[in-house]
Amino acid sequence: RVPLFLMDTDIDANAPADRELAAHLYGGDRELRLIQEYVLGIGGVRTLRALGYHPRVWHLNEGHCAFSVLERAREFVQQGMTFDQARDAVRATTVFTTHTPVPAGNDSFSFELIEKYFAAFWQKLGVTREQFFDLARQYLPWGAAEFSMTVLALKFSAAANGVSELHGEVSRKMWNFLWPQRAEHEVPIGYITNGVHSLTWLAPEYHVLFDEYFPRDWRARIDAPALWESIEKIPDERLWATHQILKQRLMEVVKASAVGAIHESPLEEHALTLGFARRFATYKRAVLAFRDIERLKRILNHADRPVQILFSGKAHPADDPGKEFIRQIVEFSRQPGFAGRVAFVEDYDINVARALVQGVDVWLNNPRRPLEASGTSGQKASLNGAPNFSVLDGWWRDGYIAAVNGWAIGEDRAWDDVNAQDAADAESFYATLENEIAPMFYARDADGVPRAWVRKMKNAIKTIAPRFSTMRMVKEYTTKYYIPAATRME
């Protein structure tokens, strides 16, 4: 129902080198990155104008498109405004969402590079070279300064937000220097926690089950907490049987695409199965579970309560340490004690992701807090009845209810020593998995149904599904940011 316009540089009118500008998202140098963001930001505004669009509110989703504010300011100056008036007009109708607390995720460019592409542009704005640099100046730890896309976006936005409550706190601390006269808690960066598109990620089998037990219009009321109380109408046996079907489908996907010794030592279809699938950035600590190898082997190979872990995902093309994590996990999966208990599923894409979040028993996430801005994979898993077993970071810190809908790894606290943090989180992982999760999963009644586990599944679904849907998220953006911005210029 919403028009989507995709921009491509691979058109006949462009020079051969320019045709390749949009060929790769990652992997180029800083200059290519700047050019891509120039095309996205400035070209994006001109594209909308050419199509006849004149938005009342502009939402900058991360800093990559921040050059758009400069193009809009240029339009106002061309119409006769002073630069200060133009900046105020742009700011009044702009909303900005920052997505990462990791410094490398916030693009910045040298002033020399900016000058190469914007020397004529600041003249059109009616500002000097230094005034232009001041629009986005950020000092680096060693004293030099660069042109920061996040700073540019923050300075030209009337409202800004992080993507979870903790990320809002981290962002206020990160960007406090832009408001030196304000205390950290007064920095004007709020938060709206990310959500997922429920109807896309909910398994077809659950669609059928919900049609049977939920109100007829349930798809139109996904963000209503009361609606999800209908999960209590579903008999435990039906919910558990549905999960087994999805788990069996996942095992077929794993057999087809897993690497390691999986073909010689196949996974057990009925063993407690944890899933870990995401971008292999090092802060996500994919190998945390292997910190104490012998202890992990004992847990995975318990005679009565076996456990297996499925890994999948990809690293940034330039992230060699992230690629090394993948290599290590594949290597572990081939070793005695891990073969048949650990598998890496190759060719991670939306289909593999869907099979994983719909079929695993538990969703694992163990980033180094507080570097996970939000994350959404665990939301998709709980929507499908898989409780989260995660660090209290990003969205899970917002959604976790102790002893109700999942398990926490580690404590809700800040750390100064990352080695101590990793050690504590690993100990929490082992102890919780061994003493709480596995015993609950394997406790079955005379009918073979793990009643306490199904209770945890139901709690996960009904507490996570309404709060962490895009339906709730978009409504929140609309009421908190879009409507105020739209009325500000009337």
Side-chain angles (χ1 to χ4, degrees):
R1 294 175 298 181
V2 178
L4 172 67
F5 302 110
L6 304 177
M7 298 167 61
D8 193 358
T9 59
D10 187 18
I11 58 174
D12 293 339
N14 282 345
D18 291 339
R19 293 184 67 157
E20 298 178 4
L21 291 176
H24 300 284
L25 178 60
Y26 301 118
D29 58 17
R30 300 308 299 160
E31 185 165 5
L32 175 60
R33 186 71 166 174
L34 185 149
I35 295 170
Q36 289 178 330
E37 296 187 357
Y38 192 110
V39 172
L40 176 62
I42 295 175
V45 175
R46 296 182 184 180
T47 299
L48 288 173
R49 299 307 190 207
L51 291 166
Y53 283 87
H54 299 278
R56 295 169 68 190
V57 181
W58 298 70
H59 186 171
L60 310 182
N61 197 39
E62 195 57 288
H64 311 310
C65 54
F67 286 142
S68 63
V69 300
L70 300 177
E71 172 65 7
R72 291 169 56 212
R74 184 198 62 77
E75 290 178 334
F76 283 126
V77 170
Q78 192 173 20
Q79 294 166 15
M81 287 187 183
T82 65
F83 174 72
D84 288 343
Q85 290 170 332
R87 179 174 53 193
D88 290 344
V90 171
R91 182 188 289 138
T93 53
T94 303
V95 174
F96 172 58
T97 299
T98 176
H99 280 269
T100 175
V102 181
N106 292 273
D107 284 344
S108 62
F109 304 100
S110 70
F111 289 146
E112 289 77 15
L113 203 52
I114 292 292
E115 184 164 21
K116 180 177 178 179
Y117 290 94
F118 284 91
F121 204 97
W122 63 63
Q123 296 172 15
K124 296 175 183 177
L125 292 176
V127 298
T128 67
R129 176 180 183 273
E130 287 305 307
Q131 286 173 327
F132 188 82
F133 291 163
D134 282 341
L135 299 178
R137 188 185 302 270
Q138 181 178 10
Y139 287 97
L140 304 174
W142 52 91
E146 287 195 333
F147 193 95
S148 165
M149 299 296 279
T150 303
V151 171
L152 179 65
L154 286 168
K155 285 191 171 184
F156 275 81
S157 300
N161 69 283
V163 288
S164 69
E165 184 176 22
L166 181 58
H167 182 227
E169 294 175 17
V170 172
S171 298
R172 287 190 288 276
K173 183 175 183 178
M174 278 183 73
W175 307 107
N176 196 170
F177 70 90
L178 294 175
W179 292 271
Q181 75 283 8
R182 297 194 184 195
E184 186 178 301
H185 70 278
E186 295 177 335
V187 170
I189 300 177
Y191 79 94
I192 293 179
T193 304
N194 283 344
V196 295
H197 190 260
S198 311
L199 300 183
T200 294
W201 292 99
L202 187 67
E205 288 79 1
Y206 278 122
H207 278 266
V208 173
L209 197 60
F210 292 174
D211 281 339
E212 187 175 346
Y213 290 97
F214 280 38
R216 292 180 61 182
D217 64 342
W218 68 269
R219 290 176 180 83
R221 296 195 289 125
I222 283 169
D223 61 329
L227 168 79
W228 291 92
E229 290 297 329
S230 298
I231 203 77
E232 300 296 348
K233 300 176 185 176
I234 300 175
D236 290 356
E237 293 81 359
R238 290 288 304 278
L239 192 69
W240 184 242
T242 301
H243 176 63
Q244 297 312 302
I245 292 170
L246 296 170
K247 191 172 181 180
Q248 184 176 22
R249 182 190 300 154
L250 168 62
M251 293 303 166
E252 291 169 0
V253 170
V254 172
K255 288 174 188 174
S257 57
V259 294
I262 194 68
H263 301 293
E264 295 78 26
S265 306
L267 297 175
E268 290 184 36
E269 191 171 303
H270 300 293
L272 171 60
T273 303
L274 279 60
F276 179 103
R278 53 189 41 85
R279 184 165 53 88
F280 268 65
T282 50
Y283 78 85
K284 294 178 183 285
R285 298 188 300 183
V287 296
L288 182 71
F290 298 92
R291 191 175 176 93
D292 185 336
I293 289 176
E294 294 308 315
R295 185 170 182 186
L296 180 61
K297 284 181 180 178
R298 289 197 301 273
I299 295 171
L300 299 183
N301 295 283
H302 191 286
D304 301 316
R305 300 194 295 265
V307 180
Q308 53 201 19
I309 310 177
L310 301 179
F311 291 90
S312 192
K314 294 178 178 178
H316 185 295
D319 184 2
D320 290 332
K323 294 176 187 176
E324 174 61 18
F325 277 4
I326 294 176
R327 190 199 65 77
Q328 288 179 28
I329 289 171
V330 172
E331 188 61 33
F332 278 128
S333 73
R334 295 175 170 140
Q335 295 177 8
F338 290 131
R341 291 283 180 257
V342 172
F344 185 86
V345 185
E346 284 193 309
D347 299 323
Y348 182 66
D349 61 10
I350 195 169
N351 294 314
V352 171
R354 190 178 275 118
L356 283 162
V357 298
Q358 292 173 0
V360 298
D361 298 308
V362 174
W363 196 254
L364 175 64
N365 190 23
N366 43 245
R368 182 175 287 123
R369 187 185 186 278
L371 300 180
E372 182 88 292
S374 174
T376 55
S377 58
Q379 299 170 0
K380 301 164 191 171
S382 279
L383 177 68
N384 287 281
N388 273 263
F389 179 31
S390 302
V391 168
L392 293 170
D393 195 12
W395 82 272
W396 184 234
R397 183 172 177 266
D398 296 355
Y400 172 62
I401 305 172
V404 173
N405 63 353
W407 299 271
I409 295 174
E411 303 172 80
D412 185 10
R413 56 161 288 191
W415 290 84
D416 296 322
D417 183 335
V418 294
N419 289 320
Q421 181 179 14
D422 290 356
D425 287 349
E427 172 57 34
S428 175
F429 168 81
Y430 298 132
T432 306
L433 179 57
E434 191 171 26
N435 302 325
E436 296 181 38
I437 299 176
M440 180 185 289
F441 179 82
Y442 284 103
R444 310 292 166 94
D445 66 4
D447 298 320
V449 177
R451 299 289 173 180
W453 188 267
V454 175
R455 164 48 45 208
K456 188 77 77 171
M457 290 176 65
K458 288 183 174 181
N459 288 346
I461 294 171
K462 73 179 184 180
T463 60
I464 302 304
R467 282 189 63 196
F468 299 99
S469 67
T470 47
M471 190 176 290
R472 183 276 308 160
M473 181 185 75
V474 172
K475 285 181 180 179
E476 203 170 341
Y477 272 108
T478 302
T479 56
K480 289 180 70 172
Y481 296 132
Y482 299 163
I483 292 175
T487 56
R488 203 170 284 125
M489 295 295 287
E490 290 181 353

